[in-house]
Amino acid sequence: MYAKILVPIDLAHVETSKKAINIAQKLLDKDGSIYLVNVVEDIPTYIAAEMPISILQDSKDQSLAELKATAKAAGIKAKCEVRSGRPAASILDAAEEHEAELIVIASHRPGFSDYFLGSTAARVVRHAQCPVFVDR
Ligand code: ADP
């Protein structure tokens, strides 16, 4: 069992995330913590330069609200966090900062079952400092 489990959530595919949250719940210590992390991908600088700065913040605020709703729908208390950057690198940073003992991640987006691992999952598996549970 694990005291700190990180579950990266792709808000475009919440159904997949629900399965990962269920797995995390089963593997969690009684007083353990689940961290739900979503990564809002960076907008290329040449586009960002033309956009009001509030748009990125609005998108992070909306993602945080969706993460909290996902936790509520799953009936769990989780620490929810939105980061910006590249998904795999940001997930790995979050895991190290929170000293996660386990990462639970889906192998790929739904419908891409021919792929063994999606690009984010593959990078997380390859570079994580802690065990990674890959749900297929
Ligand atoms: P694919 O390449 O098929 O889209 P991914 O490897 O990107 O597959 O997705 C697998 C899992 O990686 C997702 O279920 C989620 O756990 C995690 N993930 C992908 N993108 C993000 C993101 N932007 N924020 C948080 N987690 C993500």
Side-chain angles (χ1 to χ4, degrees):
M1 301 294 248
Y2 301 87
K4 291 183 185 178
I5 303 182
L6 187 133
V7 185
I9 305 288
D10 179 354
L11 288 169
H13 304 290
V14 174
E15 282 309 313
T16 318
S17 306
K18 281 185 189 153
K19 265 185 83 193
I21 291 172
N22 283 339
I23 292 165
Q25 271 182 290
K26 289 184 182 135
L27 297 174
L28 189 68
D29 280 349
K30 199 162 173 287
D31 299 318
S33 305
I34 293 180
Y35 295 79
L36 302 186
V37 177
N38 171 252
V39 184
V40 175
E41 293 199 45
D42 275 337
I43 300 167
T45 331
Y46 65 93
I47 297 176
E50 304 295 323
M51 289 168 60
I53 208 150
S54 60
I55 289 190
L56 182 59
Q57 189 54 48
D58 286 352
S59 144
K60 287 180 83 174
D61 290 349
Q62 190 185 333
S63 297
L64 185 60
E66 286 180 38
L67 266 191
K68 287 180 177 168
T70 302
K72 196 174 174 195
I76 59 159
K77 278 195 184 144
K79 298 175 200 290
C80 298
E81 180 181 333
V82 177
R83 295 185 171 228
S84 51
R86 285 178 299 147
S90 301
I91 291 165
L92 292 164
D93 285 348
E96 288 200 22
E97 282 170 33
H98 295 303
E99 300 178 329
E101 294 173 3
L102 180 73
I103 299 170
V104 179
I105 193 166
S107 52
H108 45 67
R109 76 183 72 176
F112 277 50
S113 52
D114 286 349
Y115 289 147
F116 174 55
L117 282 177
S119 57
T120 307
R123 287 194 183 97
V124 169
V125 167
R126 194 173 306 131
H127 298 292
Q129 303 289 316
C130 65
V132 180
F133 186 114
V134 179
D135 179 43
R136 272 179 74 77

Short mmCIF file of all heavy atoms in Angstrom, two decimals, residues 37-86:
data_model
loop_
_atom_site.label_atom_id
_atom_site.label_comp_id
_atom_site.label_asym_id
_atom_site.label_seq_id
_atom_site.Cartn_x
_atom_site.Cartn_y
_atom_site.Cartn_z
N VAL A 37 -3.42 15.55 -10.84
CA VAL A 37 -2.66 16.61 -11.52
C VAL A 37 -3.06 16.67 -12.99
O VAL A 37 -3.06 15.66 -13.69
CB VAL A 37 -1.14 16.33 -11.43
CG1 VAL A 37 -0.35 17.39 -12.19
CG2 VAL A 37 -0.69 16.29 -9.97
N ASN A 38 -3.43 17.87 -13.42
CA ASN A 38 -3.69 18.08 -14.84
C ASN A 38 -2.64 19.06 -15.38
O ASN A 38 -2.27 20.00 -14.68
CB ASN A 38 -5.10 18.66 -15.07
CG ASN A 38 -5.30 19.08 -16.53
OD1 ASN A 38 -5.36 20.27 -16.83
ND2 ASN A 38 -5.40 18.13 -17.42
N VAL A 39 -2.22 18.83 -16.60
CA VAL A 39 -1.24 19.73 -17.21
C VAL A 39 -1.87 20.43 -18.41
O VAL A 39 -2.35 19.76 -19.34
CB VAL A 39 0.03 18.97 -17.66
CG1 VAL A 39 1.06 19.95 -18.20
CG2 VAL A 39 0.60 18.15 -16.50
N VAL A 40 -1.89 21.75 -18.32
CA VAL A 40 -2.36 22.56 -19.46
C VAL A 40 -1.13 22.81 -20.32
O VAL A 40 -0.14 23.36 -19.85
CB VAL A 40 -2.95 23.90 -18.96
CG1 VAL A 40 -3.33 24.78 -20.14
CG2 VAL A 40 -4.15 23.65 -18.07
N GLU A 41 -1.23 22.35 -21.57
CA GLU A 41 -0.04 22.46 -22.42
C GLU A 41 0.27 23.91 -22.76
O GLU A 41 -0.63 24.72 -22.98
CB GLU A 41 -0.23 21.64 -23.70
CG GLU A 41 -0.28 20.17 -23.37
CD GLU A 41 0.00 19.29 -24.56
OE1 GLU A 41 0.94 19.57 -25.31
OE2 GLU A 41 -0.75 18.32 -24.73
N ASP A 42 1.58 24.21 -22.78
CA ASP A 42 2.02 25.57 -23.11
C ASP A 42 1.56 25.95 -24.51
O ASP A 42 1.58 25.12 -25.43
CB ASP A 42 3.55 25.62 -23.08
CG ASP A 42 4.06 25.88 -21.68
OD1 ASP A 42 3.30 26.42 -20.86
OD2 ASP A 42 5.23 25.53 -21.42
N ILE A 43 1.16 27.20 -24.63
CA ILE A 43 0.82 27.72 -25.96
C ILE A 43 2.12 28.25 -26.57
O ILE A 43 2.90 28.91 -25.86
CB ILE A 43 -0.21 28.85 -25.83
CG1 ILE A 43 -1.47 28.31 -25.16
CG2 ILE A 43 -0.53 29.47 -27.18
CD1 ILE A 43 -2.43 29.37 -24.69
N PRO A 44 2.39 27.95 -27.85
CA PRO A 44 3.64 28.45 -28.44
C PRO A 44 3.76 29.97 -28.26
O PRO A 44 2.75 30.69 -28.36
CB PRO A 44 3.50 28.09 -29.93
CG PRO A 44 2.51 26.97 -29.96
CD PRO A 44 1.59 27.17 -28.78
N THR A 45 4.98 30.43 -28.00
CA THR A 45 5.21 31.85 -27.67
C THR A 45 4.65 32.80 -28.74
O THR A 45 4.08 33.83 -28.40
CB THR A 45 6.73 32.12 -27.56
OG1 THR A 45 7.36 30.92 -27.13
CG2 THR A 45 7.01 33.23 -26.59
N TYR A 46 4.80 32.41 -30.03
CA TYR A 46 4.34 33.34 -31.08
C TYR A 46 2.83 33.49 -31.07
O TYR A 46 2.29 34.50 -31.49
CB TYR A 46 4.85 32.89 -32.46
CG TYR A 46 4.31 31.56 -32.94
CD1 TYR A 46 3.17 31.50 -33.74
CD2 TYR A 46 4.93 30.37 -32.59
CE1 TYR A 46 2.67 30.29 -34.17
CE2 TYR A 46 4.43 29.15 -33.02
CZ TYR A 46 3.31 29.11 -33.80
OH TYR A 46 2.81 27.89 -34.21
N ILE A 47 2.11 32.48 -30.52
CA ILE A 47 0.65 32.63 -30.40
C ILE A 47 0.33 33.34 -29.09
O ILE A 47 -0.49 34.26 -29.04
CB ILE A 47 -0.05 31.24 -30.43
CG1 ILE A 47 0.21 30.56 -31.78
CG2 ILE A 47 -1.56 31.39 -30.17
CD1 ILE A 47 -0.35 29.15 -31.88
N ALA A 48 1.00 32.92 -28.01
CA ALA A 48 0.73 33.49 -26.68
C ALA A 48 0.93 35.01 -26.70
O ALA A 48 0.21 35.75 -26.02
CB ALA A 48 1.64 32.85 -25.64
N ALA A 49 1.91 35.47 -27.49
CA ALA A 49 2.21 36.90 -27.54
C ALA A 49 1.02 37.71 -28.03
O ALA A 49 0.87 38.89 -27.69
CB ALA A 49 3.41 37.13 -28.44
N GLU A 50 0.15 37.07 -28.81
CA GLU A 50 -1.01 37.77 -29.38
C GLU A 50 -2.25 37.63 -28.50
O GLU A 50 -3.30 38.17 -28.81
CB GLU A 50 -1.35 37.21 -30.77
CG GLU A 50 -0.21 37.25 -31.78
CD GLU A 50 0.18 38.68 -32.12
OE1 GLU A 50 -0.73 39.53 -32.21
OE2 GLU A 50 1.39 38.94 -32.28
N MET A 51 -2.13 36.88 -27.40
CA MET A 51 -3.33 36.59 -26.58
C MET A 51 -3.31 37.35 -25.27
O MET A 51 -2.23 37.56 -24.70
CB MET A 51 -3.37 35.08 -26.24
CG MET A 51 -3.68 34.21 -27.43
SD MET A 51 -3.37 32.48 -27.05
CE MET A 51 -4.47 32.20 -25.71
N PRO A 52 -4.49 37.73 -24.76
CA PRO A 52 -4.51 38.34 -23.42
C PRO A 52 -4.00 37.32 -22.40
O PRO A 52 -4.34 36.14 -22.50
CB PRO A 52 -6.00 38.64 -23.17
CG PRO A 52 -6.69 38.42 -24.46
CD PRO A 52 -5.81 37.59 -25.34
N ILE A 53 -3.19 37.79 -21.44
CA ILE A 53 -2.56 36.89 -20.48
C ILE A 53 -3.61 36.14 -19.64
O ILE A 53 -3.38 35.05 -19.14
CB ILE A 53 -1.58 37.69 -19.59
CG1 ILE A 53 -0.46 36.77 -19.11
CG2 ILE A 53 -2.24 38.38 -18.45
CD1 ILE A 53 0.84 37.51 -18.89
N SER A 54 -4.81 36.76 -19.54
CA SER A 54 -5.86 36.16 -18.71
C SER A 54 -6.36 34.83 -19.28
O SER A 54 -6.90 34.01 -18.54
CB SER A 54 -7.04 37.12 -18.58
OG SER A 54 -7.56 37.40 -19.85
N ILE A 55 -6.16 34.60 -20.58
CA ILE A 55 -6.71 33.38 -21.17
C ILE A 55 -6.07 32.13 -20.58
O ILE A 55 -6.74 31.17 -20.24
CB ILE A 55 -6.59 33.40 -22.72
CG1 ILE A 55 -7.58 34.44 -23.25
CG2 ILE A 55 -6.87 32.02 -23.31
CD1 ILE A 55 -7.78 34.44 -24.74
N LEU A 56 -4.74 32.17 -20.42
CA LEU A 56 -4.06 31.00 -19.85
C LEU A 56 -4.52 30.78 -18.41
O LEU A 56 -4.79 29.66 -17.99
CB LEU A 56 -2.54 31.16 -19.91
CG LEU A 56 -1.74 29.99 -19.37
CD1 LEU A 56 -2.05 28.69 -20.12
CD2 LEU A 56 -0.24 30.27 -19.42
N GLN A 57 -4.63 31.90 -17.65
CA GLN A 57 -5.06 31.77 -16.25
C GLN A 57 -6.50 31.23 -16.19
O GLN A 57 -6.81 30.36 -15.38
CB GLN A 57 -4.97 33.12 -15.53
CG GLN A 57 -5.18 33.04 -14.02
CD GLN A 57 -4.26 32.03 -13.33
OE1 GLN A 57 -3.05 32.02 -13.57
NE2 GLN A 57 -4.82 31.14 -12.50
N ASP A 58 -7.38 31.72 -17.10
CA ASP A 58 -8.77 31.24 -17.13
C ASP A 58 -8.79 29.73 -17.41
O ASP A 58 -9.55 28.98 -16.81
CB ASP A 58 -9.57 31.94 -18.23
CG ASP A 58 -9.90 33.37 -17.85
OD1 ASP A 58 -9.63 33.73 -16.69
OD2 ASP A 58 -10.38 34.11 -18.71
N SER A 59 -7.93 29.32 -18.33
CA SER A 59 -7.91 27.90 -18.69
C SER A 59 -7.42 27.06 -17.51
O SER A 59 -7.94 25.97 -17.25
CB SER A 59 -7.04 27.77 -19.94
OG SER A 59 -6.31 26.61 -19.93
N LYS A 60 -6.44 27.57 -16.74
CA LYS A 60 -5.98 26.84 -15.55
C LYS A 60 -7.07 26.80 -14.49
O LYS A 60 -7.29 25.76 -13.84
CB LYS A 60 -4.70 27.47 -14.99
CG LYS A 60 -3.48 27.19 -15.85
CD LYS A 60 -2.22 27.82 -15.30
CE LYS A 60 -1.59 26.98 -14.21
NZ LYS A 60 -0.29 27.51 -13.77
N ASP A 61 -7.78 27.92 -14.31
CA ASP A 61 -8.86 27.97 -13.31
C ASP A 61 -9.96 26.96 -13.67
O ASP A 61 -10.48 26.25 -12.82
CB ASP A 61 -9.47 29.38 -13.24
CG ASP A 61 -8.51 30.38 -12.62
OD1 ASP A 61 -7.49 29.96 -12.06
OD2 ASP A 61 -8.79 31.60 -12.73
N GLN A 62 -10.29 26.93 -14.97
CA GLN A 62 -11.35 26.01 -15.42
C GLN A 62 -10.90 24.55 -15.22
O GLN A 62 -11.67 23.70 -14.78
CB GLN A 62 -11.66 26.27 -16.89
CG GLN A 62 -12.89 25.52 -17.35
CD GLN A 62 -13.13 25.68 -18.85
OE1 GLN A 62 -12.72 26.68 -19.45
NE2 GLN A 62 -13.79 24.72 -19.45
N SER A 63 -9.64 24.29 -15.52
CA SER A 63 -9.13 22.93 -15.35
C SER A 63 -9.16 22.53 -13.88
O SER A 63 -9.48 21.38 -13.54
CB SER A 63 -7.69 22.82 -15.88
OG SER A 63 -7.70 23.07 -17.25
N LEU A 64 -8.82 23.47 -12.99
CA LEU A 64 -8.83 23.16 -11.55
C LEU A 64 -10.25 22.83 -11.10
O LEU A 64 -10.48 21.87 -10.35
CB LEU A 64 -8.26 24.33 -10.75
CG LEU A 64 -8.11 24.08 -9.25
CD1 LEU A 64 -7.17 22.90 -8.98
CD2 LEU A 64 -7.59 25.32 -8.53
N ALA A 65 -11.22 23.60 -11.60
CA ALA A 65 -12.62 23.33 -11.25
C ALA A 65 -13.03 21.95 -11.75
O ALA A 65 -13.72 21.18 -11.04
CB ALA A 65 -13.52 24.42 -11.84
N GLU A 66 -12.59 21.59 -12.96
CA GLU A 66 -12.95 20.27 -13.52
C GLU A 66 -12.27 19.14 -12.74
O GLU A 66 -12.86 18.09 -12.52
CB GLU A 66 -12.55 20.19 -15.00
CG GLU A 66 -13.46 20.99 -15.90
CD GLU A 66 -13.05 20.90 -17.37
OE1 GLU A 66 -12.63 19.84 -17.82
OE2 GLU A 66 -13.13 21.94 -18.04
N LEU A 67 -11.05 19.38 -12.30
CA LEU A 67 -10.35 18.36 -11.50
C LEU A 67 -11.09 18.12 -10.18
O LEU A 67 -11.29 16.98 -9.77
CB LEU A 67 -8.93 18.84 -11.14
CG LEU A 67 -7.77 18.44 -12.01
CD1 LEU A 67 -6.47 18.82 -11.31
CD2 LEU A 67 -7.77 16.96 -12.34
N LYS A 68 -11.50 19.23 -9.54
CA LYS A 68 -12.22 19.11 -8.26
C LYS A 68 -13.55 18.38 -8.48
O LYS A 68 -13.95 17.55 -7.67
CB LYS A 68 -12.46 20.49 -7.65
CG LYS A 68 -11.17 21.09 -7.09
CD LYS A 68 -11.42 22.46 -6.47
CE LYS A 68 -10.12 23.00 -5.87
NZ LYS A 68 -10.21 24.42 -5.51
N ALA A 69 -14.21 18.67 -9.60
CA ALA A 69 -15.47 17.99 -9.91
C ALA A 69 -15.23 16.50 -10.16
O ALA A 69 -16.05 15.65 -9.76
CB ALA A 69 -16.13 18.63 -11.13
N THR A 70 -14.11 16.18 -10.78
CA THR A 70 -13.77 14.77 -11.04
C THR A 70 -13.56 14.03 -9.71
O THR A 70 -14.04 12.90 -9.52
CB THR A 70 -12.48 14.69 -11.89
OG1 THR A 70 -12.70 15.40 -13.10
CG2 THR A 70 -12.12 13.24 -12.22
N ALA A 71 -12.85 14.69 -8.78
CA ALA A 71 -12.62 14.08 -7.46
C ALA A 71 -13.94 13.88 -6.73
O ALA A 71 -14.21 12.82 -6.15
CB ALA A 71 -11.69 14.96 -6.63
N LYS A 72 -14.80 14.89 -6.81
CA LYS A 72 -16.10 14.82 -6.12
C LYS A 72 -16.94 13.69 -6.71
O LYS A 72 -17.54 12.89 -5.98
CB LYS A 72 -16.82 16.16 -6.26
CG LYS A 72 -17.96 16.34 -5.30
CD LYS A 72 -18.54 17.73 -5.37
CE LYS A 72 -19.77 17.79 -4.48
NZ LYS A 72 -20.59 18.96 -4.74
N ALA A 73 -16.96 13.61 -8.05
CA ALA A 73 -17.76 12.56 -8.71
C ALA A 73 -17.25 11.17 -8.33
O ALA A 73 -18.02 10.21 -8.26
CB ALA A 73 -17.70 12.74 -10.23
N ALA A 74 -15.94 11.06 -8.09
CA ALA A 74 -15.37 9.76 -7.71
C ALA A 74 -15.54 9.50 -6.21
O ALA A 74 -15.21 8.42 -5.72
CB ALA A 74 -13.89 9.71 -8.09
N GLY A 75 -16.02 10.52 -5.49
CA GLY A 75 -16.26 10.36 -4.05
C GLY A 75 -14.98 10.29 -3.23
O GLY A 75 -14.93 9.64 -2.19
N ILE A 76 -13.94 10.98 -3.72
CA ILE A 76 -12.68 10.96 -2.95
C ILE A 76 -12.26 12.37 -2.56
O ILE A 76 -12.65 13.35 -3.21
CB ILE A 76 -11.52 10.33 -3.74
CG1 ILE A 76 -11.26 11.09 -5.05
CG2 ILE A 76 -11.77 8.86 -3.99
CD1 ILE A 76 -9.87 10.86 -5.61
N LYS A 77 -11.46 12.41 -1.48
CA LYS A 77 -10.80 13.68 -1.13
C LYS A 77 -9.43 13.62 -1.78
O LYS A 77 -8.65 12.70 -1.53
CB LYS A 77 -10.64 13.78 0.38
CG LYS A 77 -11.86 14.27 1.08
CD LYS A 77 -11.54 14.70 2.50
CE LYS A 77 -12.82 15.10 3.20
NZ LYS A 77 -12.82 14.73 4.60
N ALA A 78 -9.16 14.57 -2.67
CA ALA A 78 -7.85 14.54 -3.33
C ALA A 78 -7.29 15.95 -3.34
O ALA A 78 -8.03 16.93 -3.28
CB ALA A 78 -8.02 14.04 -4.76
N LYS A 79 -5.97 16.02 -3.41
CA LYS A 79 -5.32 17.32 -3.59
C LYS A 79 -5.24 17.55 -5.09
O LYS A 79 -4.67 16.73 -5.82
CB LYS A 79 -3.92 17.29 -2.96
CG LYS A 79 -3.97 17.03 -1.46
CD LYS A 79 -2.57 16.89 -0.89
CE LYS A 79 -2.53 16.18 0.44
NZ LYS A 79 -3.06 16.86 1.59
N CYS A 80 -5.87 18.63 -5.55
CA CYS A 80 -5.97 18.88 -6.99
C CYS A 80 -5.01 19.99 -7.40
O CYS A 80 -4.92 21.01 -6.71
CB CYS A 80 -7.39 19.27 -7.36
SG CYS A 80 -8.59 17.98 -7.00
N GLU A 81 -4.37 19.79 -8.53
CA GLU A 81 -3.35 20.75 -8.94
C GLU A 81 -3.29 20.83 -10.46
O GLU A 81 -3.36 19.81 -11.14
CB GLU A 81 -2.03 20.21 -8.39
CG GLU A 81 -0.83 21.03 -8.70
CD GLU A 81 0.43 20.37 -8.12
OE1 GLU A 81 0.36 19.63 -7.12
OE2 GLU A 81 1.48 20.57 -8.72
N VAL A 82 -3.18 22.06 -10.97
CA VAL A 82 -3.02 22.25 -12.41
C VAL A 82 -1.65 22.88 -12.67
O VAL A 82 -1.28 23.85 -12.02
CB VAL A 82 -4.12 23.16 -12.99
CG1 VAL A 82 -3.90 23.39 -14.49
CG2 VAL A 82 -5.49 22.54 -12.76
N ARG A 83 -0.92 22.29 -13.59
CA ARG A 83 0.39 22.83 -13.95
C ARG A 83 0.37 23.19 -15.42
O ARG A 83 -0.44 22.66 -16.17
CB ARG A 83 1.48 21.78 -13.73
CG ARG A 83 1.63 21.43 -12.28
CD ARG A 83 2.77 20.49 -12.03
NE ARG A 83 2.96 20.39 -10.59
CZ ARG A 83 4.12 20.49 -9.96
NH1 ARG A 83 5.23 20.64 -10.64
NH2 ARG A 83 4.19 20.41 -8.65
N SER A 84 1.29 24.06 -15.83
CA SER A 84 1.40 24.31 -17.27
C SER A 84 2.78 23.89 -17.73
O SER A 84 3.74 23.93 -16.97
CB SER A 84 1.11 25.77 -17.60
OG SER A 84 1.88 26.60 -16.79
N GLY A 85 2.82 23.42 -18.96
CA GLY A 85 4.09 22.94 -19.50
C GLY A 85 3.85 21.73 -20.37
O GLY A 85 2.76 21.56 -20.91
N ARG A 86 4.86 20.88 -20.47
CA ARG A 86 4.70 19.64 -21.24
C ARG A 86 4.19 18.57 -20.30
O ARG A 86 4.70 18.43 -19.17
CB ARG A 86 6.02 19.24 -21.88
CG ARG A 86 6.34 20.15 -23.08
CD ARG A 86 7.66 19.81 -23.71
NE ARG A 86 8.73 20.00 -22.73
CZ ARG A 86 9.84 19.28 -22.68
NH1 ARG A 86 10.03 18.29 -23.52
NH2 ARG A 86 10.77 19.52 -21.78
#
